[in-house]
């Protein structure tokens, strides 16, 4: 115990000071005794190893796609990303505005004095208790945000999009229960459902092989190749029949050509045409409730709906293109694609729209 107290006072490694405080041992003896009994002790080593193995076994089956301890982004003050992060300040690990931000106002005029009556004293204590409960709710919400990694919202959303559509729908439905079960159990549940979906899809594929009379994977690869070829040929035939259908009627042919020209130029088709191809285009994006929608005009809303781009992302891309255009005095499509790392077709539609509306000029 004297050796442990000496190491605590002098610090580990300062063996000469430890020996001076012990008075009965040399510094070599102090170091040897400490290393033998407290560092290299096989009993301690086995205990620590067992604890480590138990901890690894406990977390071996966890499947958390997002690590909540990741360093959050550090946006500039009052930027779009800062508003998306609810004013979070990474350097202080706190928010500009707290939940229930004016809870302290109820205490500003409370003063405990000796001549308060029992009723008045009890009333003041009740107000303080209410304030404490509001502080607990504030801390509870912060803990949920921290545990689930909700500060870096965009990274969280990207992790969600890696799942198939069916799993994403479940993720959206079960999100309200995440705060109850905790981040680990919630993510394990979502991951297990994603695995179940993959297994069901694989079982369906194997059943298709069995129905087709395929008994080995070499034949399965040939079957998949031929199936893909048949689908491409069928698609070509349906496209040809569609063209021939409209050629027979001159007015319908003009409408069909106008529609294809609108699609090629990035505009939404003005005349809906029936198609026998059996394919469905993605429906327009519903902007209801999405942040930033109120900042768009009607044409910009229509563009975001057809391109399926959230208003917040569109505003960021628009700002980046406007700044670059002001610096260069003009902007080319290649420069726009270098600035915006999204699908090139969407970039072209945004670029053409901004030029058509006069926001930017072509270089």
């Amino acid at each position: 115990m004297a050796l442990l107290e000496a190491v605590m006072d002098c610090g580990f490694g300062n063996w000469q000071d430890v020996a001076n405080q012990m008075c009965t041992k040399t510094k070599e003896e102090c170091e040897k005794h400490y290393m033998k009994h407290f560092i290299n002790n096989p009993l301690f080593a086995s205990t620590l190893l067992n604890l480590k193995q138990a901890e690894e076994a406990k977390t071996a089956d966890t499947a958390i796609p997002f690590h909540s301890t990741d360093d959050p982004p550090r946006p500039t003050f009052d930027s779009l990303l800062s508003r998306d992060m609810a004013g979070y300040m990474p350097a202080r690990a706190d928010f500009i505005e707290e939940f229930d931000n004016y809870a302290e106002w109820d205490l500003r005029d409370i003063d405990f004095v000796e001549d308060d009556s029992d009723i008045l004293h009890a009333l003041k204590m009740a107000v303080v208790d209410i304030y404490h409960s509001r502080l607990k709710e504030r801390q509870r919400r912060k803990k949920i945000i921290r545990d689930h990694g909700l500060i870096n919202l965009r990274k969280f959303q990207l992790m969600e999009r890696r799942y198939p559509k069916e799993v994403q729908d479940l993720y959206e439905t079960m999100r309200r229960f995440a705060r109850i079960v905790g981040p680990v159990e919630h993510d394990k549940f979502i991951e297990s459902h994603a695995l179940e979906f993959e297994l069901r899809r694989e079982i369906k594929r194997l059943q298709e092989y069995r129905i087709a009379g395929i008994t080995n994977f070499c034949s399965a690869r040939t079957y998949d190749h031929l199936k893909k070829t048949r689908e491409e040929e069928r698609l070509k035939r349906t496209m040809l029949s569609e063209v021939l259908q409209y050629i027979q009627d001159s007015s319908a042919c003009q409408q069909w050509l106008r529609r294809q020209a609108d699609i090629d130029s990035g505009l939404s088709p003005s005349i809906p045409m029936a198609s026998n191809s059996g394919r469905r285009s993605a429906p327009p994006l519903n902007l209801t409730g999405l942040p930033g929608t109120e900042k768009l005009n009607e044409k910009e809303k229509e563009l975001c709906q057809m391109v399926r781009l959230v208003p917040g992302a569109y505003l960021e891309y628009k700002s980046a293109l406007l700044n670059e255009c002001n610096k260069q005095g003009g902007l080319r499509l290649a420069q726009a694609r270098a600035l915006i790392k999204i699908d090139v077709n969407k970039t072209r539609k945004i670029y053409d729209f901004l030029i058509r509306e006069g926001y930017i000029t072509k270089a």
Side-chain angles (χ1 to χ4, degrees), residues 231-232 234-240 242 256 259-260 263 273-283:
E231 289 294 329
E232 292 176 353
R234 185 187 62 82
L235 182 60
K236 291 178 181 178
R237 288 196 301 270
T238 54
M239 292 177 62
L240 180 60
E242 181 182 0
W256 187 83
R259 173 175 174 267
Q260 295 301 319
I263 294 176
M273 305 292 290
S275 174
N276 297 328
S277 63
R279 294 180 299 167
R280 292 183 179 179
S281 59

Side-chain angles (χ1 to χ4, degrees), residues 223-236:
Y223 173 80
D224 289 336
H225 176 71
L226 294 176
K227 181 180 177 182
K228 181 179 179 181
T229 305
R230 286 195 301 269
E231 289 294 329
E232 292 176 353
E233 292 297 330
R234 185 187 62 82
L235 182 60
K236 291 178 181 178

Side-chain angles (χ1 to χ4, degrees), residues 316 318-329 339 360:
E316 281 193 5
K318 176 184 175 182
S319 177
L321 294 179
L322 288 178
N323 292 335
E324 187 66 19
C325 182
N326 293 333
K327 290 179 183 178
Q328 304 293 336
L339 287 173
I360 61 176

